[in-house]
Amino acid sequence: MIVRRVCKETPKEAINRQVVSEMKHLIKNTSLNADQIAIRLHFPNTSYICRYFKKYTGMSISEYRAGPLYPSHPTG
């Protein structure tokens, strides 16, 4: 697979990384709530986007939003 050789990750991992990156941007740089972010990113519902974010970051959307603007270490 070209993506795996170049990026050292599967296409699914690359997509998940990009989605989480976009979610983080929207959480930190807008006042959108989880419902609005779910709609913008085409998630089926708020519950799913909250579980997805927690799975890939280890924290809830509200925990991430309340944290420092620039974390001391990159999380992806």
Side-chain angles (χ1 to χ4, degrees):
M1 274 190 181
I2 292 173
V3 172
R4 182 165 219 134
R5 277 187 271 148
V6 173
C7 299
K8 307 291 189 233
E9 58 189 1
T10 66
K12 182 178 180 182
E13 290 166 340
I15 291 167
N16 287 336
R17 181 179 41 78
Q18 186 60 39
V19 169
V20 169
S21 177
E22 182 64 18
M23 290 171 74
K24 287 179 174 183
H25 172 77
L26 291 171
I27 293 165
K28 287 291 190 181
N29 298 297
T30 71
S31 60
L32 297 174
N33 62 34
D35 291 330
Q36 294 164 322
I37 293 171
I39 291 167
R40 181 164 295 185
L41 297 179
H42 307 285
F43 276 77
N45 56 56
T46 305
S47 177
Y48 184 74
I49 199 170
C50 292
R51 286 192 320 269
Y52 183 94
F53 189 79
K54 184 146 188 148
K55 176 181 178 179
Y56 289 101
T57 66
M59 62 181 79
S60 70
I61 289 173
S62 58
E63 289 170 335
Y64 184 77
R65 182 168 269 156
L69 185 58
Y70 301 103
S72 58
H73 56 71
T75 58

